[in-house]
Amino acid sequence: FVKNSQIHDGIVDMDPIMHKHIAKVMRMKQGEKVIVTDESGQFFLATVFDLEGGRLILEKALDENNELDVDVTLVYGMPKGDKFEFVLQKATELGVTKIVPFLCARSLIKMDESKFMKKKPRYERIIQEASEQSHRNICPEVIAPIHLKELKDYLSEVNVVAYEESAKQGEVSAFHRALEKLTTSITIIVGPEGGFDESEITAMKDLGITPVGLGKRILRSESAPLYMLSVIGYEREL
Ligand code: SAM
């Protein structure tokens, strides 16, 4: 990803991180070919023509699109420990567009904006590496944690919240029905380890969000978003 690098007249002036990656991590040599992606998600075939000076020359645009045909926003009840990083990596592999950490009533961690900003470069690195390995055209965005009152700003054409009580009530097909209406964008909402409390589900219903079950088994909070993204991928691509 040529994210912070300058492109002019078909030449990429690599930013220091990309330069280090090409020269030291990939150990590329002068004249070797590499595929790069610009801000818009366009792939290019490029050649390393000035390894020391950190410059690539763009050879040709490549017609490759590996993105889902819908935008997927994952609003995720932030879990404890490194599970969040695991979900960032796996959700990126599965095609997520935006990840929104959600601080809920039963969240077990305290994460404010300044704590998040300290970790953001690490989160972005995890996402970038996963995007590269999965040949994504874009790098998903991770934004600062939100509370319930800000949720309305992250809603899409279709909005669903995974709620295990819905699964118990036989609402297993609600997710399937919601996906049938999907044409452009979807927001999927998953609770933290302790789940959502009823008042949060009521508030989400008032925002027009549909509670959906994910089958009879209770999934861990880090498994549920990956299950939902896999189902979306299956419905849209397979
Ligand atoms: N509340 C449960 C408890 O404390 O026993 C478990 C919460 S579960 C570990 C974390 C989140 O995953 C839930 O808030 C929900 O969003 C989602 N989830 C897990 N399994 C699910 C299922 N079978 N149906 C719907 N949502 C599920």
Side-chain angles (χ1 to χ4, degrees):
F1 287 93
V2 295
K3 238 170 152 189
N4 300 314
S5 309
Q6 304 291 322
I7 306 182
H8 53 88
D9 301 329
I11 306 283
V12 180
D13 274 319
M14 292 187 274
D15 71 66
I17 295 174
M18 187 181 180
H19 188 191
K20 186 175 162 208
H21 189 72
I22 295 274
K24 301 266 185 311
V25 180
M26 294 177 74
R27 295 177 169 277
M28 294 195 74
K29 305 263 178 306
Q30 199 86 0
E32 275 195 273
K33 307 273 185 218
V34 61
I35 292 174
V36 296
T37 319
D38 71 8
E39 295 279 8
S40 73
Q42 172 70 53
F43 279 110
F44 292 92
L45 180 68
T47 303
V48 180
F49 92 107
D50 177 9
L51 189 62
E52 214 163 289
R55 290 193 295 171
L56 306 174
I57 191 159
L58 297 180
E59 304 286 352
K60 61 172 178 175
L62 299 175
D63 188 17
E64 188 170 333
N65 182 3
N66 297 325
E67 295 303 309
L68 286 169
D69 66 348
V70 290
D71 285 341
V72 185
T73 298
L74 167 62
V75 177
Y76 181 37
M78 248 188 140
K80 279 197 307 186
D82 52 16
K83 289 181 201 160
F84 184 63
E85 295 184 2
F86 172 80
V87 170
L88 286 179
Q89 184 191 58
K90 300 298 167 208
T92 299
E93 289 171 29
L94 291 165
V96 78
T97 316
K98 187 184 282 178
I99 298 152
V100 183
F102 188 22
L103 297 172
C104 328
R106 298 192 194 149
S107 289
L108 299 176
I109 65 148
K110 304 258 172 288
M111 169 74 81
D112 57 18
E113 187 155 348
S114 76
K115 246 185 181 172
F116 176 84
M117 290 318 278
K118 279 192 200 127
K119 295 211 161 184
K120 198 175 179 201
R122 178 176 165 81
Y123 294 156
E124 287 180 333
R125 209 166 46 250
I126 291 169
I127 289 174
Q128 179 158 345
E129 282 172 14
S131 297
E132 285 173 359
Q133 105 84 38
S134 294
H135 294 196
R136 296 280 308 263
N137 292 69
I138 59 137
C139 262
E141 184 188 5
V142 56
I143 68 145
I146 63 158
H147 291 92
L148 186 58
K149 61 181 186 316
E150 293 135 303
L151 184 57
K152 61 179 181 339
D153 300 332
Y154 296 94
L155 298 185
S156 303
E157 175 199 25
V158 172
N159 301 286
V160 294
V161 54
Y163 188 41
E164 48 298 350
E165 292 305 319
S166 300
K168 282 187 209 152
Q169 288 155 17
E171 277 298 318
V172 284
S173 59
F175 188 31
H176 185 78
R177 285 199 302 274
L179 292 182
E180 282 177 344
K181 297 185 199 130
L182 178 59
T183 62
T184 55
S185 63
I186 180 167
T187 294
I188 56 176
I189 307 169
V190 173
E193 293 90 333
F196 288 118
D197 77 21
E198 233 180 291
S199 68
E200 288 173 314
I201 295 293
T202 305
M204 287 192 237
K205 279 188 190 163
D206 290 345
L207 288 171
I209 301 166
T210 309
V212 298
L214 302 179
K216 296 183 213 161
R217 294 153 300 280
I218 299 297
L219 306 173
R220 280 183 178 268
S221 80
E222 68 273 30
S223 312
L226 307 183
Y227 179 94
M228 295 178 93
L229 280 159
S230 304
V231 169
I232 294 168
Y234 174 79
E235 290 282 339
R236 305 300 305 184
E237 291 183 341
L238 299 182

